[in-house]
Amino acid sequence: MTKHIRNFCIIAHIDHGKSTLADRFLELTKTVDKRLMKEQFLDKMDLERERGITIKLAPVRMIYRPEVRNQKSEILNKSKIQNPNNQNDLGFRASDLEFVNSEYILNLIDTPGHVDFSYEVSRSLAAVEGAILLVDATQGVQAQTIANLTLAVAQGLTIIPAVNKIDLPHVAVEETVRAVAQLLGCAEKDVFRVSGKTGQGVEALLEEVVRQVPPPKGAAAQPLTALIFDSQYDTYRGVVAHVRLMDGEVRKGDAITLMGTGVETEVLETGVLSPEFTPSPMLAAGEIGYIVTGLKEVRQCRVGDTITSARKRASRPLPGYREVRPFVFAGLFSADGEAEDLREAIEKLQLNDASLTYVPQRSSALGFGFRCGFLGLLHLDIVVERLRREYDLEIIATVPNVEYRVLTVQAQTHADIYADTRGQGYVTAEQLNAHGVLEVKTPQEFPDPSRIEKVYEPWVWVTVITPSTYVGNIMPFVQGKRGIARHTEYLADGKAVLRYDLPLSSIIVNFYDNVKGVSQGYASMDYEFAGFREADIKRLDILIAGQVAPELSVLMEKSEIERRARAVVESLKELIPRQMFAVKIQAAIGAKIIASETLSAMRKDVTAKLSGGDVTRRRKLLEKQKKGKKRMALFGNVEIPPEVYRKLLQRST
Ligand code: GDP
Ligand code: MG
C-alpha cells in the first residue's frame, strides 16, 4: 500500500534555502528533537557545514500526521476558501477528512544547488514523484532554478513552487512570485510564500506536498526492482546502497542480485534514514531506504544499477542513469607516494560520488596516480579535500584541463568532419570518434605538432541570468572570452536571460567569479555541453633548468597562450625555493621559448666571514663557489617540492 507515501525533493539554486526549509520539515514532523536541531541539519559532512553548501543529496524519512496539530478546522476552512467549487453540503471535501485523519510517510531528498553537483540532483529526481521548487525572494529566478526545473519537468514530476525568505525586510516577494509563475506557466496564487527561517507558510507548503504529489506507483507483489540512487562504504558493513523500491519487497536475509554487475549477495539489513540509520523489518514498493549489502568490492555496487530478488528476478532492469560527462580533467597523485592507499580511497570515494571518473596514470615526477574527470573546479576541489579528510591523504593535483580531440595527418577524413561541423555548428564526440581522432585528456597525450592536422575543442551552451542593468557589463566580458552571443529574453522580474556559446576552457577558470564581479554578485550561470569545434590549440611546456616538467604542461588556445606562459613562469620563480645555483624557468611551444625567467642563486657570501684576508685567497674562494654553482646547475636536479605544484594549481584555478 503506497497510498500514504509521498516522495519528494527540494530543488533550487545554491543558497536559496533548501536545507533550511528541510530543517523546518524535520521539526514540524518531529523527526529531529528540538534540542538536537542545528541549522542545515541534513548537511552532515564537516565540509558541507564549513563551506555552507550542500554537496551530497540527503534522503530523510519523516512521519507526518496532519491531525496531531489539532488544527483540523483551520485546514478545512482553508480548503473551503481555496476550492469554492469543489465542496459538499458540509462545506468540505471527503478528501479533506481523509487527509486530516491519516499518517503520511514523507521521503524527502535534500539536494545540492551548485552546478558541479547537478548529477546528485538528477539522481534524486529519478527516485521521487514531486519537487518543491524554491526561489529566494532576494535573488529571484537564477540559473540553477531553471536548470533544475528543466530536469524535474523532464522526469514528469509534480512541481510545487515556493518563494522563500519572505521574512526579510524590503524584499520584492510579489515580483519574484510573478517571475516564478511566468516560468512555470501557473497562476501567481499557486506559488507559496514561505520563510524557512521563521517557519512562516512552511506547514501549508508541506500540506500541499501531501495533497499534490501523487503516491508512488508500484506493486509489492511484483518481483523486486530497487533503483540504487546513491551508495556509501561502511568499514564494518561494506557497501550500503540507498534505494528507491519501484516494485516488490526486500527484507533482511533475502538473496538479492545486482542486475548490472550480476553479483549476488544476502541482505544484512534494511532500513530508513530518519535521519539516522534506522533498521526496519522490510522495505516495500514505493519506499525509499537503504540496503546493507555486505559487499566489500565497491565496484560491484554501481549507482544506477537495479537490485532484484535472486529467487524471483525482474525481467528487466530499471532505466538507470545516463553516464556523466566529465568537464575537466586533472591528475591526482599522493604527495607521499602512497599509491595503493590512493587507489583504495578513490574507489571508495567514487562509490559516494558517482560523478567522479578515474583511470590510472603514471608520472615520472609524481609517481603513480589517477587521471580523474570532474564536473567542474569546485568538484575537483571537494574531491581533493574529501580525500584529505576522509582518507588522510595529501593530494597533488595537476593543472586541470578540458579534453580535446586531435586529427593526426595519418587520418584522411578531415574534409568529412568539416562537412559535419558546417552542417550542425558542432560535431559530436561520436562523430569525431567515428573518424578515428585521438582523445586527448592530458597534455602528455597531445601529439607532436608535426603530426597534427586539426584539433577540436569542447564548447558549451551557457545561460547567464542577470538583472537587466548588468547586461552591458556582461556582454563585453563574455566576448573577451571568445563567447558568441545567441539569444536574450526577459523575465517578469526585470531579469535578462542571456545565452552564449563559449569554449569550455573559457569558463572553467574564474569565469563565474568574474560574471558575479561585473554584476555585483547578482548574475548566475549554468552550462551544458554543446559539442566540439575546430580550434588552434597548442601545448605549452614548462622547462625547469632545461628539462620539461610534464605535470606543468597545459593545452591552450593560441591567443591565450602567451599570457599564460608569462604568468606560470613568474609564479614558478616565486614559488620554487632558491637553489645554490641559478635556475632557468622557461615556457615553450615545441622548441620555441616564449617566456623565460631566471631564479637567481642563493648567494652564500662565504667571503664575508673572512675578515680582511689576502686578495688571492679571496678570489680563489669566489672561483670555487662559482665552479660549484656551475657543476650543480649542470648536473644537479632541481627539486621541486610538492608544495609548488599545489600552490601553482591554486593560482591557476
Ligand atoms: P541551500 O543552499 O539552498 O541549501 O540554502 P541553505 O539552507 O544552506 O541557506 C542558505 C542561506 O540562506 C543560509 O545562510 C540560511 O540561513 C539563509 N536562509 C535560508 N532560508 C531563509 C529564510 O527563509 N530567511 C532568511 N532570512 N534566510 C534564510
Ligand atoms: Mg543545502
Side-chain angles (χ1 to χ4, degrees), residues 172-207:
V173 174
E174 291 314 308
E175 233 173 70
T176 305
V177 165
R178 215 173 310 134
V180 172
Q182 183 196 13
L183 190 66
L184 279 143
C186 71
E188 286 173 33
K189 70 169 175 49
D190 294 335
V191 179
F192 282 73
R193 289 125 172 113
V194 301
S195 165
K197 189 139 235 164
T198 66
Q200 194 185 342
V202 168
E203 182 148 25
L205 178 59
L206 196 60
E207 282 172 8

Side-chain angles (χ1 to χ4, degrees), residues 617-628:
R617 209 178 138 205
R618 209 170 170 162
R619 190 178 299 133
K620 259 188 190 161
L621 244 167
L622 271 174
E623 218 121 88
K624 209 172 145 196
Q625 211 182 351
K626 224 166 136 191
K627 247 190 200 159

Side-chain angles (χ1 to χ4, degrees), residues 15-20 40 54 164-165 167-168 195-197:
D15 274 349
H16 282 206
K18 297 175 290 295
S19 302
T20 305
Q40 288 100 34
T54 306
N164 191 28
K165 308 197 186 179
D167 59 288
L168 289 169
S195 165
K197 189 139 235 164

Side-chain angles (χ1 to χ4, degrees), residues 231-235 238-240 295-298 348 351-352:
S231 54
Q232 68 193 82
Y233 190 82
D234 180 302
T235 319
V239 176
V240 179
L295 293 172
K296 296 284 178 199
E297 274 284 325
V298 296
K348 286 181 180 160
L351 192 68
N352 195 236

Side-chain angles (χ1 to χ4, degrees), residues 80-130:
K80 195 156 76 181
I81 297 161
Q82 283 177 356
N83 303 286
N85 305 322
N86 183 18
Q87 42 185 276
N88 58 27
D89 293 346
L90 293 170
F92 43 75
R93 300 175 296 180
S95 64
D96 291 332
L97 272 178
E98 191 187 322
F99 174 70
V100 291
N101 284 320
S102 297
E103 178 178 285
Y104 293 91
I105 294 171
L106 306 182
N107 292 307
L108 162 68
I109 304 181
D110 185 23
T111 65
H114 192 280
V115 59
D116 281 18
F117 307 113
S118 59
Y119 196 51
E120 297 284 317
V121 182
S122 60
R123 295 201 326 274
S124 305
L125 294 174
V128 298
E129 281 75 32

